Amino acid sequence: MADISLDNALDGDAGRTLAEDVRDGLTRAHKELPPKHLYDSRGAALFDQICELPEYYPTRTERAILERVAAELIAASGASELVELGSGSAAKTRLLLDAMAAAGTLERYVPLDVTERVVRESAAALIREYPGLRVHGLIGDFERHLGRLPPAHGPRLLAFLGGTIGNFAPTQRGRFLRTIAGLLAAGDHLLLGTDLVKDRATLEAAYNDSAGITAEFNRNILRVINRELGASFDPTAFDHVAVFDERNEWIEISLRAREAQEVALPAIALTVHFAAGEELRTQISAKFTRERVAAELAAAGLELVAWHTDARAWFGLSLARAAAA
Ligand code: AVJ
């Protein structure tokens, strides 16, 4: 298919990265693992299920905002290509591509995702749905491989949706936004989705669904480590914990060892001890205010062009560009 090109930036180094992250994260006083390792194909499928849960409002809230403002965003950005970081199954992408097609500017879609199957399948589906669309898929990690994005063909809209920026630690987040700022030429824009601070009950319910899907998604990181590193984690020996940390304004997601246990990780010659009740942090999901988004964008050399939210102000969508020097 001539309209699709794929570039794999992972080049077989994904395993090495997992091994390094696991060694580093499990030998700390407060054990933690980076959330990107949650997304193997089972993890990606579980995340898609999370997005359908009644308690998990971010996906459908962001989608409703996009449905309302996509045309306006595209008019404001004049984009002919859409670059999507962490594209996943590209469900919300179509709203932007539709608006670009309607505006007559649509030329190219550039998805970047760690899950190869997801990039391949969405690329194949989209070229069928949008005649003439070119897709350049990049299989990679948006923390490490932004330098592998192809040169822009025209005004570019770089979308980072879903509130995924909330999964970065604050210092990582600043670094990431500065990298983005460096990628934006005059006329390019960033479209950033951020989940917003709200009442504790709503926030915590979104990460403690009654069907237990989020718990399975969380435990999936242990299955990934078992498979990739020959480890002996018993996923059923860990409870899913998700609480809103009000001081940091983030949801903190962990796995709590029900009993004391040893876990062998032969591939990295490591044995890890868990005390009863000990927590392994697998994710933070930061919640924002408009003021904080604007301030963090400004600190990275970006300026807010437009801010869109829903009637309850549960989710924010920012359009930004590189600030005039
Ligand atoms: C995909 C990163 C936005 O933080 O809300 C959902 C991931 N984890 N439920 C989020 C997630 C547990 C999600 N993001």
Side-chain angles (χ1 to χ4, degrees), residues 170 197 200 243-252 281 287 292:
V197 172
R200 171 182 295 275
V243 289
F244 184 51
D245 175 340
E246 234 164 287
R247 195 173 56 88
N248 286 309
E249 295 187 322
W250 66 45
I251 288 275
E252 183 150 329
R281 186 166 84 176
K287 307 305 167 188
R292 192 133 70 87

Side-chain angles (χ1 to χ4, degrees), residues 7-302:
D7 179 17
N8 193 335
L10 295 175
D11 288 337
D13 80 343
R16 188 181 53 84
T17 305
L18 176 70
E20 284 170 359
D21 288 347
V22 168
R23 169 179 298 286
D24 176 44
L26 295 189
T27 54
R28 294 187 188 181
H30 297 280
K31 295 183 175 64
E32 67 177 312
L33 292 169
K36 64 184 166 203
H37 301 302
L38 286 159
Y39 298 88
D40 65 344
S41 54
R42 180 172 182 269
L46 284 166
F47 180 67
D48 285 346
Q49 280 180 255
I50 288 174
C51 294
E52 304 290 323
L53 293 168
E55 297 96 334
Y56 193 74
Y57 62 83
T59 310
R60 73 178 64 90
T61 307
E62 182 181 49
R63 189 183 171 87
I65 301 168
L66 268 178
E67 276 169 2
R68 187 163 47 78
V69 304
E72 194 180 325
L73 289 169
I74 293 308
S77 73
S80 67
E81 72 178 33
L82 175 64
V83 177
E84 189 173 18
L85 309 182
S87 53
S89 55
K92 283 168 281 199
T93 309
R94 287 173 176 79
L95 297 171
L96 292 166
L97 296 177
D98 284 347
M100 292 165 79
T105 57
L106 178 63
E107 285 178 18
R108 186 164 68 152
Y109 174 54
V110 182
L112 188 167
D113 200 275
V114 275
T115 312
E116 173 158 3
R117 186 182 52 82
V118 145
V119 175
R120 285 186 180 282
E121 287 175 6
S122 70
L126 291 170
I127 62 153
R128 265 183 268 116
E129 291 170 42
Y130 298 89
L133 178 70
R134 280 171 297 137
V135 177
H136 180 102
L138 178 58
I139 296 140
D141 175 352
F142 49 63
E143 278 185 82
R144 295 188 294 138
H145 299 127
L146 292 178
R148 295 277 292 258
L149 288 171
H153 282 179
R156 179 175 258 189
L157 181 62
L158 202 151
F160 193 36
L161 300 175
T164 304
I165 192 162
N167 293 150
F168 289 135
T171 48
Q172 263 181 309
R173 198 158 77 212
R175 203 183 312 132
F176 178 79
L177 286 174
R178 279 192 299 281
T179 304
I180 298 283
L183 288 175
L184 298 183
D188 292 346
H189 290 81
L190 167 68
L191 180 63
L192 181 68
T194 47
D195 195 17
L196 303 180
V197 172
K198 61 186 63 62
D199 68 281
R200 171 182 295 275
T202 302
L203 285 170
E204 291 186 348
Y207 295 88
N208 289 284
D209 64 278
S210 54
I213 308 292
T214 307
E216 262 325 292
F217 173 68
N218 193 14
R219 291 189 189 100
N220 190 56
I221 203 162
L222 304 180
R223 296 182 196 278
V224 169
I225 295 170
N226 283 349
R227 186 185 65 231
E228 300 297 327
L229 302 176
S232 65
F233 275 110
D234 173 4
T236 66
F238 289 82
D239 287 321
H240 166 74
V241 181
V243 289
F244 184 51
D245 175 340
E246 234 164 287
R247 195 173 56 88
N248 286 309
E249 295 187 322
W250 66 45
I251 288 275
E252 183 150 329
I253 305 179
S254 307
L255 290 165
R256 183 191 287 148
R258 228 168 276 141
E259 287 161 13
Q261 56 199 282
E262 304 284 330
V263 177
L265 298 110
I268 54 172
L270 185 69
T271 301
V272 176
H273 175 77
F274 283 86
E278 185 174 350
E279 292 184 7
L280 160 60
R281 186 166 84 176
T282 53
Q283 200 177 108
I284 61 163
S285 188
K287 307 305 167 188
F288 296 83
T289 58
R290 177 190 173 144
E291 293 66 34
R292 192 133 70 87
V293 171
E296 292 193 12
L297 289 171
L302 293 163

